[in-house]
Amino acid sequence: QVHLQESGPGLVKPSEALSLTCTVSGASISSYYYWSWIRQPPGKGLEWIGYYYSGNTNYNPSLKSRLTISIDTSKNQFYLNLRSVTAADTAVYYCVRGNQQSYEYYMDVWGKGATVSVSS
Amino acid sequence: DIVLTQSPGTLSLSPGERATLSCRASQSVSSSYLVWYQQKPGQAPRLLIHGASSRAAGIPDRFSGSGSGTDFTLTISGLEPEDLAVYYCQQYADSPLTFGGGTKVEIK
């Protein structure tokens, strides 16, 4: 069974970088899945951040200038780095596995989520 | 960007009733790329329906999806108390991937 677990600081200062790690168990991060990040501001809906897939990345244009998603195959982990954060980046951040099967795309495995607050 | 509009915002029904949730896209979306998720209070979202109408593994058959083009529907036949949740539709027919704003299902 595949599990994803987010980790990282729960509090980040404005203008600094938010960095999160997702540890994958039960599957190889080298396999052909879309290793993704989704966030959810308090009391609001879901926002796609972006993904890493087979050596390529795809980012939400609204975040692209501040965002890097990367992987470390030796650790079976993938990462989120969001620079120059503001209070608007306060959210629960989910790491998620995206899956493409038979011309369908869906996100089938979700981490429990990491709460990140941006505040001085 | 493809905008997904979900309605109603909140649905309040009694156990055993039928819930009909709507997801309307701002442009045509291939059914292959229309997905529904369930998010229970305090939990991460869970995959419910993919390809507009295929139930994910372990999802009870009271959940069904339908639709095409710009209009999609999630139906819960015979509400159970544990169906209390927010339901989101999502598309990836075109980048960026987008979600609807969600429909909250309350159980009377």
Side-chain angles (χ1 to χ4, degrees), chain B residues 6-11 86 101-105:
Chain B
Q6 291 189 242
S7 62
T10 302
L11 201 50
V86 179
T103 290
K104 184 176 183 179
V105 173

Side-chain angles (χ1 to χ4, degrees), chain A residues 92-112:
Chain A
V92 175
Y93 286 76
Y94 296 100
C95 60
V96 185
R97 187 180 81 170
N99 199 343
Q100 183 146 28
Q101 298 284 340
S102 304
Y103 304 105
E104 295 182 1
Y105 178 88
Y106 47 88
M107 293 182 281
D108 60 354
V109 183
W110 293 66
K112 291 182 185 291

Side-chain angles (χ1 to χ4, degrees), chain A residues 7-103:
Chain A
S7 58
L11 182 63
V12 181
K13 288 183 168 53
S15 80
E16 296 189 345
L18 180 163
S19 293
L20 292 174
T21 298
C22 183
T23 300
V24 179
S25 58
S28 169
I29 202 163
S30 299
S31 50
Y32 291 103
Y33 292 106
Y34 297 73
W35 302 107
S36 309
W37 292 94
I38 305 292
R39 71 180 183 179
Q40 185 170 35
K44 295 189 177 180
L46 302 168
E47 180 182 27
W48 176 69
I49 296 172
Y51 62 67
Y52 181 103
Y53 174 75
S54 188
N56 298 299
T57 52
N58 188 14
Y59 298 151
N60 191 321
S62 67
L63 299 169
K64 187 173 184 175
S65 63
R66 302 190 287 131
L67 182 61
T68 302
I69 296 175
S70 57
I71 72 168
D72 185 333
T73 54
S74 66
K75 295 182 178 179
N76 221 41
Q77 294 175 330
F78 65 105
Y79 310 99
L80 169 71
N81 184 266
L82 183 65
R83 298 172 290 280
S84 304
V85 297
T86 70
D89 296 308
T90 293
V92 175
Y93 286 76
Y94 296 100
C95 60
V96 185
R97 187 180 81 170
N99 199 343
Q100 183 146 28
Q101 298 284 340
S102 304
Y103 304 105

Side-chain angles (χ1 to χ4, degrees), chain B:
Chain B
D1 298 7
I2 296 178
V3 176
L4 299 178
T5 302
Q6 291 189 242
S7 62
T10 302
L11 201 50
S12 185
L13 295 168
S14 299
E17 289 193 299
R18 180 187 191 95
T20 302
L21 287 66
S22 172
C23 175
R24 179 160 291 176
S26 59
Q27 60 193 78
S28 186
V29 171
S30 167
S31 297
S32 296
Y33 297 106
L34 195 288
V35 185
W36 291 92
Y37 300 92
Q38 176 193 61
Q39 186 176 32
K40 294 183 177 182
Q43 295 185 17
R46 173 175 73 149
L47 176 65
L48 208 57
I49 300 282
H50 58 88
S53 60
S54 299
R55 275 187 302 276
I59 301 302
D61 61 7
R62 65 178 181 275
F63 292 93
S64 63
S66 63
S68 63
T70 60
D71 291 296
F72 297 90
T73 300
L74 174 69
T75 302
I76 312 173
S77 304
L79 268 175
E80 301 275 351
E82 62 262 30
D83 299 333
L84 165 71
V86 179
Y87 294 84
Y88 294 96
C89 57
Q90 172 245 299
Q91 70 77 31
Y92 196 33
D94 192 20
S95 192
L97 184 152
T98 53
F99 292 93
T103 290
K104 184 176 183 179
V105 173
E106 296 179 341
I107 310 296
K108 289 180 182 176

